[in-house]
Amino acid sequence: MRKFRKVLDGLTTSSPASTLGSPSCGSGAGTPTAAPTPKEIDVQETLLSENFQLCKTVRHGFPNQPTALAFDPVQKLLAIGSRSGGVRILGRPGVDCYCQHDSGAAVLQLQFLINEGALVTACADDTLHLWNLRQRRPAILHSLKFNRERITFCHLPFQSKWLYVGTERGNTHIVNIESFILSGYVIMWNKAIELATKTHPGPVVHLSDSPKDEGKLLIGFESGTIVQWDLRGKKADFRIYYDEAIHSASWHHEGKQFMCSHSDGSLTLWNLRNTTKPFQVTFPHGKIQKDGRKESCKPILKVEYKTTRNSEPFVIFSGGLSYDKAGRRPTLTIMHGKAITVLEMDYPIVEFMALCETPYINEVQEPYAVVVLLEKDLIVVDLTQTSFPVFENPYPMDIHESPVTCTAYFADCPPDIIPILYSIGAKHKKTGYSHKEWPISGGTWTLGSLTYPEIIITGHADGTIKFWDASAITLQMLYKLKTSKVFEKPKPGESRAAELGEEDPFAVQMVSWCPQSRMFCVVGISAHIILYHFSKHEANTQIESLEVHLQCESEDVISPSENENDPCFSESGSHSPQAHHQQSVSPVSGTPEVNKHSIPWLKVKDRMVRVPPGYQAELVIQLQWIDGEPPQQITSLDMNSAYGLLAFGNCNGLAVVDYLQKTVLLCMSTLDLYGAADPYQRLTRSPRRHRQSTSEFCMRGLSNFYSDSKKRIRTSYQSLTELSDNQQSIDMERSKSPTSDHVNGHCTSPTSQPCSAGKPRAQMGPEGPRLTRRGPGRPPFRKAQSAACMEISLPVSHTEGYASRRAMLQQLHGVTMYSHDEHHTTAPYCWSEKATESRENSFSRSRSSSVSSIDRDTKEAITTLQFGESYGRKSDAITTPCLWVGTSLGIVLVIPVSIPTDQEERMEEPVTFGPSGAVLMLKGSVLRVGFLDCSGTLIQSPYEVWRDINAAEDPDRPRKRKLVHFSPSSSQESYADGHLAVVCSERQAKVFLMPSQSCLFVHNITESSFVLRADVVSVCNSVCLACFCANGHVMTLSLPSLRPLMDVNYLPLTDMRIARTFCFTNGGQALYLSSPTEIQRITYSQEMCDNLQEMLGELFTPIETPEVQNRGFLKGFFGGNAATFDREELFGEAAAGKASRSLAQHIPGQAGMEGMKVAAGGVVGELARARIALDERGQRLGELEERTALMMTSAESFSKHAHEVMLKCKDKKWYQF
C-alpha cells in the first residue's frame, strides 16, 4: 500500500493533467509517461479479445414494408417477406426467426415445402432461393437466377418437388426443388392461347393444379385469359377469354368449379362443364344506381373459395368497395352463405390467407382462421365464431403503434420489477379477443441457461412510454404509460400547439430510469420533464409544476466596451444560485401576472386528479418561452434517487432541481459554471435592442477576449465558409471525409429548433430590429418523427451540400453548438425526410440553419450529466456527492453537492453546491462518465430503496428513506486512494485518478469518424468501455488501460434512426431500431454468441403428414379422379431434356449447420485443429512410408531366395527331389 501511495503522489506532481484546465493531456494518444502501469495500480484486467464477438441475436417488431405471406398448415409456421429482402418466420411465442437475402431485393412470393422444413422465396431480382429451416438459423441451400425473364408467380403443389414459375412474358417454367435446376418442359404463352389470338395475354398472375387431376394446370393471365393446360398431352383443355383483368383465382375442393376476382370489383364463378361464359357473376359491394347501371367498384385483389362440411362455403376477398366514398378504410369481406361481413382495417391489406385443417386441396378445406397481413400490422381472424373476433397477437407487433423516438435498454434488472409491471399492465389490456389459442403454434422454444431480467423502454411520438420484458431474447409488453395525461387537453385556438401547427407536442425525447428506486423521468420535445414515482395503489394527487428560465444567451450580454461600469461584469465569480432561482424560476401559480410570451408550451393539470396504480406523476418541469420564442431542447439529463436531485441541461446552461422539496437549486449558463476556471476565452456580442433587464441575462465570465491570433483564424475561417462558390473552398470540402466532422451531445431528440446562435443576423445596423427565430407561420418544433424517418444522403456534388457533423448534430440533437476540435466543416448534410406513404426519394436541405462562422456558433451545450460519490476538489480526503458535467467543448466539470444527511433536515434544509474544483479536457463532445474503484470494479450510483408512498402507513413503524451507497472502498484508510473516472468523448477516452485529477490513460478512439454512443458496461464479470461510431464500427476498450479489445465494422450509419436509438447495456448486449417498426438486438459477448443456438427456438419439429381422407368407393369411382400423376417421368431430363443454360443460372447456397458452427467457432480454434490434424496426418504418412519400405525389403529378399531355389532345382529330375 505504501508503494501504491508513492505512485499516486508522484502522479499529482508530475502528471501534465494535474494542472487545472491544462489541455496538454488530451493531445496525444497512448499512455502518459508519468502514469503508472495497470500492474502498479494493482488492477487485474481479465478481459481478452477472445471474450468478444459481434453477432445479431434476434429482431423484434413488425416486418417493415411487408410484401408476401405463406403458411405451413402442418408445421403451423408463418413466413412474412419484406421489401428490403427480409423474411420473418413465426411460430409459437419464442419462435421468431429473421432471415435476410444478401441482395436486398424485395420478396415477391413465399412458398413452404409443407412439412419438409424448407421455404422457397421469389425475389424482385428474378431469383429463386431455397431456405433450409431444419436449423435454428436458416441458410440458403440453392439459388436460381433467371436471366431473360421476370418472375411474376410461383406455385408448388403439396408433396411435389416440381415448382411452377410464371413469368412476365406469359411463359411457365418448371424447377426441380431438389437440384434447383430448370426442366426442359416449358409452357410457352403462344401455345397456351389460340393461334388466332393476336394480342399478348400478359404476365402470368395465377398458377394452380386442379384438385380433380394433378395433371391439369390452371394458368391465369393478367388480361383476363384463363387456360387449363394438360401437362401430359401438352395442350390446352379449354380457354376462357374474359373482358376484365384477373387478379386471382381459387378452386372448389372437388375441382369442378373455380372462382376469379377481377379489376372491376366482380367475382366470377366458372363451371368446367361450360366454360363459354361464367356460371355466376357477382358484385359484392356494387349497388344498382337509379339508371339501372352498377356503380363502379375497386378491384378485388384476391379471393379464396373454401368449403366446409356442415355449412355453406366461405368466400373471402379483399377490396371491391365502391368508389363513391372517399377515404374509406381498407376492408376484408367474409361471405358465408347469405351473410356478408365487412371487416374494416386500420391499414391497407398487403396479403391474406385462410388457414385450413388439411393440406390436401382435394379435401373439404374447413377454414378456421384468416391471417391478414396489413402494411403495419398482422391480424388473425377467428372464422369459427359468427362474430369473427380477432386473436390476441402474442408477438410484439405494435412497437410502432406510435413512431418510436427514443429507446433505453436495461439488463440484469431487479427480479421483482417485471412481475409487478406485468400485473399492473395486465389490468389495462384490451378485451374482446377470441378465447381460442393462437393458431400459429409451430416450432419449439425453451429458456436458455443465460437468462436474466431485461427491460427495454421505448418512447413514442404521441408521448406514450412502453415497458417491454426482453428476457431470454423474447419481447413482451409489460406496461404502458401515457405522459399526455399530465397535461390539459388544449382547447381550440388557445394552445401554442394549435397556434403553431405542432402535431406531436408530447413526443418523448429521452428517458432516465432507476430500477432500484423505480423512479422514472421523461424528457419531452416541448422542453418539459416529467418525474414519476411508482405505486401499487391508486391515489388522488395534485401534480406540482415548476417553470425554469434557461434561456441564457451570449447575444443578450452587453459588451464591456459599452458598459464598463456594469456591476454584473465586475463580480464574475459571485454567483448566487438562490438569487438566480428567484429570477428564473416561478411556479405556475406563483405570480398573478403572467407574461403572455412566457407561457409554457403545455398546460399542466392544476386540479386533483385520480391516478391508477403504476407510475404516477410527481413533478413537471417546463422551460419558459422568452419573448414568444421557444426554449431550446434539453440535451442531457440525470436523476439520483438517493440525493433526491434531478439535473438537466441544454445548449444554454444547466439546471438542478430538488424534487423532494420541489425547488430549483441551480440555474445558470454554462459559462457561469466555470467561474474563474474557464479554459477558453470567449467573444462577446453586440447587445439586443429589445431585451429584458440586464441582470437577468447577465453572463459572468465573458470579460476575457480572444487573442489577435484567434481573431485572425476566425476571420479567415469565416471568409472560407461564406465564399461557398469559390472553387478552392469546394475542393477543400470535397477532400474531407464525410464523417470527419462532429456530432455533439448525447440527446436523442429527433425534432427540434436550432439555437439562435446559428442564425445569421439581419443585414442592418445595430439600431435595427432583432431578427426573429422563425419565419411567419413556422412552428418552433418540427413534427415528432419516428426514429426511422430521416436518412442521411451523402452529397454527390457541392450543389447539394457537404457532409458535416455539426449539421448532423442539428438533426440528431436539435441544438446548434460549438465543438472544440481540430477541423471544422460548415455545410450541412443533405437530408431526406420520408413520409410514411410516399416512396419517393425526395431530398431537401436541412431545416437547421447553416453555420457560416464560429463566431455565430459559440454555444456550449451540456451533453452529459452524472451524479455519483466522488471528489470535488484535489484536497478532498473523502468522497462526497458530486455532479459531473460534460459539455460539447470537451470539458468535464465536477461540482460538489452538500446534502443534509438527516431525513427531516433533508426535507427542510437547502441543498448547496460548491464551486467547481475540477476541470478536465478531452477532444470532442463528452458523451459518457463512469466510475471505477482502484481495483477496476464498476461503482454504481447510490440509490434509494423503493417504498410505496401511497401504501397505508404503520404508526408504530414510520417509513424512512433507506439509501444504498456504493463507496470506492469500505475502509477509511483506503479513501485516500481515490477512485478512477472514465470519461469518453466523440474522439477520445481518458481515465482519470481522483482526487488528484491525473490522467492515467488516454486512447484516441477515432480520427476519421466520431463516436455516437458510449457506455461503461459489465461483461464476463469485468468492465469495459463500449463505443459505437458513425462509420459503423463497434469497439470495446479494456478498463482502466483503454486497450482495444474489439473493433468490428458492423453497420455503417446510413440514417439517423440508428444514431438516435443505439444503446448499450450490461452483459455484452446492445440494440437499435433497424427499421421504423423493428428493434434489432445484438451481442458483442463471445459467451452469448456460443450459447445463442441454445437460446433460439427450433423452427422444424418432426410431425407425421396427415393421411388422405377416405373418399369412399362411389365418390372415387364416379369422381373421375385420374391415375397417379408422375411428374418425374414428365419433367425429368430423360423426357423433357435440358433447359437453355442462358435462361437461368444455378447458384450454390451456403453450407448447412455444420458450416455455420465452424464459422461461429472462431478462426483460431479451427486453425489449431487443422494444425493438429495435419501433424497427425504427417505422422501417419511417416509410419506408412516406413511400413512400405519394410515390405519392399521383404519382397526383394523373397525374390532373391526364390531365384536361388530356382537355380538350384533347375537341372534336377523329379525323382531327385
Side-chain angles (χ1 to χ4, degrees), residues 190-222:
N190 53 358
K191 293 183 179 180
I193 65 173
E194 289 181 339
L195 297 176
T197 306
K198 297 181 180 180
T199 58
H200 191 280
V204 175
V205 295
H206 178 79
L207 291 169
S208 62
D209 50 338
S210 169
K212 191 175 180 180
D213 186 356
E214 294 178 346
K216 310 288 186 179
L217 184 67
L218 190 70
I219 307 174
F221 297 93
E222 189 181 53

Side-chain angles (χ1 to χ4, degrees), residues 35-336:
T37 64
K39 197 169 186 181
E40 288 175 309
I41 62 172
D42 197 23
V43 175
Q44 299 294 329
E45 294 187 359
T46 58
L47 291 179
L48 303 172
S49 298
E50 289 75 18
N51 297 121
F52 295 93
Q53 181 184 346
L54 190 70
C55 68
K56 296 180 180 179
T57 54
V58 68
R59 182 172 292 206
H60 303 296
F62 181 76
N64 187 40
Q65 296 182 327
T67 55
L69 186 69
F71 181 71
D72 188 328
V74 180
Q75 289 288 322
K76 306 287 187 184
L77 292 174
L78 186 76
I80 302 174
S82 67
R83 185 170 299 168
S84 59
V87 178
R88 284 281 289 282
I89 303 171
L90 304 171
R92 68 176 66 249
V95 179
D96 187 343
C97 180
Y98 175 76
C99 313
Q100 175 67 44
H101 293 91
D102 293 336
S103 63
V107 178
L108 299 180
Q109 199 172 353
L110 299 166
Q111 287 278 325
F112 272 106
L113 276 66
I114 296 176
N115 204 27
E116 295 291 335
L119 177 71
V120 175
T121 58
C123 296
D125 59 351
D126 306 309
T127 306
L128 297 173
H129 303 277
L130 178 64
W131 292 83
N132 178 21
L133 306 184
R134 291 178 178 248
Q135 55 195 49
R136 293 178 187 257
R137 290 218 158 177
I140 294 177
L141 296 176
H142 300 282
S143 298
L144 188 67
K145 168 74 174 174
F146 281 76
N147 297 323
R148 295 185 299 183
E149 297 198 53
R150 307 214 65 181
I151 299 172
T152 55
F153 196 87
C154 297
H155 171 63
L156 180 65
F158 178 46
Q159 294 182 325
S160 170
K161 68 174 184 179
W162 298 95
L163 175 72
Y164 301 114
V165 181
T167 66
E168 194 175 36
R169 293 185 180 180
N171 303 324
T172 302
H173 301 275
I174 301 169
V175 179
N176 188 319
I177 291 297
E178 293 178 350
S179 61
F180 241 58
I181 297 176
L182 210 58
S183 170
Y185 194 110
V186 183
I187 305 173
M188 305 299 292
W189 68 270
N190 53 358
K191 293 183 179 180
I193 65 173
E194 289 181 339
L195 297 176
T197 306
K198 297 181 180 180
T199 58
H200 191 280
V204 175
V205 295
H206 178 79
L207 291 169
S208 62
D209 50 338
S210 169
K212 191 175 180 180
D213 186 356
E214 294 178 346
K216 310 288 186 179
L217 184 67
L218 190 70
I219 307 174
F221 297 93
E222 189 181 53
S223 62
T225 302
I226 305 171
V227 177
Q228 180 168 289
W229 184 263
D230 185 356
L231 295 169
R232 299 185 192 89
K234 298 183 180 179
K235 61 178 182 178
D237 287 343
F238 62 83
R239 299 179 178 91
I240 297 173
Y241 299 98
Y242 196 66
D243 297 336
E244 294 295 333
I246 293 176
H247 288 283
S248 68
S250 181
W251 281 98
H252 188 279
H253 80 275
E254 293 179 350
K256 298 177 182 179
Q257 293 177 336
F258 63 90
M259 185 177 288
C260 296
S261 66
H262 300 277
S263 58
D264 62 346
S266 65
L267 296 174
T268 57
L269 185 64
W270 299 85
N271 197 317
L272 298 191
R273 292 181 180 178
N274 182 14
T275 58
T276 56
K277 62 178 182 179
F279 175 74
Q280 184 181 3
V281 180
T282 57
F283 288 83
H285 296 297
K287 298 177 183 178
I288 300 177
Q289 298 176 344
K290 294 180 180 180
D291 55 0
R293 293 184 303 174
K294 292 270 186 181
E295 60 182 350
S296 58
C297 297
K298 299 177 183 178
I300 295 179
L301 301 178
K302 184 179 180 180
V303 63
E304 291 209 354
Y305 188 22
K306 302 297 180 183
T307 54
T308 60
R309 290 186 183 89
N310 303 321
S311 61
E312 297 289 330
F314 281 93
V315 177
I316 308 168
F317 61 89
S318 61
L321 293 177
S322 59
Y323 283 105
D324 59 346
K325 293 182 180 179
R328 296 184 68 175
R329 289 185 174 185
T331 60
L332 181 79
T333 305
I334 302 174
M335 299 173 61
H336 190 209

Side-chain angles (χ1 to χ4, degrees), residues 756-902:
S756 63
K759 298 275 185 181
R761 284 208 171 262
Q763 298 286 331
M764 56 184 66
E767 299 298 324
R770 182 183 60 186
L771 184 67
T772 58
R773 282 173 204 262
R774 59 182 192 280
R778 178 180 174 181
F781 306 116
R782 286 194 299 274
K783 177 182 177 182
Q785 301 174 16
S786 74
C789 289
M790 303 186 215
E791 291 189 358
I792 301 173
S793 67
L794 296 181
V796 294
S797 65
H798 67 275
T799 58
E800 296 185 15
Y802 302 108
S804 153
R805 282 178 324 197
R806 189 177 301 144
M808 188 180 189
L809 156 71
Q810 293 168 354
Q811 291 286 347
L812 177 61
H813 307 299
V815 290
T816 305
M817 295 178 283
Y818 167 63
S819 170
H820 174 64
D821 207 348
E822 300 87 4
H823 307 288
H824 296 277
T825 56
T826 58
Y829 268 109
C830 201
W831 295 95
S832 149
E833 298 186 9
K834 287 188 174 181
T836 54
E837 300 296 330
S838 173
R839 296 189 176 98
E840 300 177 359
N841 293 325
S842 58
F843 298 97
S844 61
R845 277 189 174 272
S846 169
R847 293 180 64 177
S848 58
S849 61
S850 61
V851 184
S852 59
S853 171
I854 301 181
D855 282 331
R856 299 173 186 171
D857 195 15
T858 55
K859 291 284 183 180
E860 182 180 5
I862 307 297
T863 56
T864 186
L865 294 166
Q866 182 67 53
F867 283 106
E869 296 287 316
S870 185
Y871 301 89
R873 302 170 188 83
K874 291 183 180 182
S875 58
D876 288 350
I878 59 173
T879 58
T880 57
C882 292
L883 174 60
W884 287 61
V885 182
T887 74
S888 57
L889 285 178
I891 307 298
V892 179
L893 304 171
V894 185
I895 302 174
V897 186
S898 178
I899 302 175
T901 56
D902 184 72

Side-chain angles (χ1 to χ4, degrees), residues 382-401:
D382 186 358
L383 293 180
T384 60
Q385 302 181 41
T386 55
S387 60
F388 301 127
V390 175
F391 287 92
E392 185 177 5
N393 197 329
Y395 314 125
M397 293 290 185
D398 57 345
I399 293 176
H400 61 286
E401 185 178 16

Side-chain angles (χ1 to χ4, degrees), residues 493-549:
E494 290 188 8
S495 70
R496 290 182 179 270
E499 177 186 341
L500 299 172
E502 175 57 40
E503 297 183 25
D504 295 314
F506 308 109
V508 179
Q509 189 173 342
M510 68 178 77
V511 296
S512 176
W513 186 47
C514 177
Q516 289 80 13
S517 65
R518 303 180 189 174
M519 296 295 293
F520 186 60
C521 195
V522 180
V523 175
I525 198 168
S526 302
H528 65 271
I529 300 173
I530 310 174
L531 182 68
Y532 292 88
H533 65 260
F534 187 83
S535 176
K536 295 181 182 179
H537 307 278
E538 63 179 2
N540 292 321
T541 182
Q542 183 166 2
I543 304 169
E544 299 194 44
S545 62
L546 292 173
E547 291 182 13
V548 179
H549 176 107

Side-chain angles (χ1 to χ4, degrees), residues 740 805 821 923 985-988 1004-1007 1009:
S740 63
R805 282 178 324 197
D821 207 348
K923 290 181 183 177
S985 71
E986 293 177 323
R987 295 293 183 89
Q988 219 175 32
N1004 290 332
I1005 300 174
T1006 177
E1007 293 294 341
S1009 183

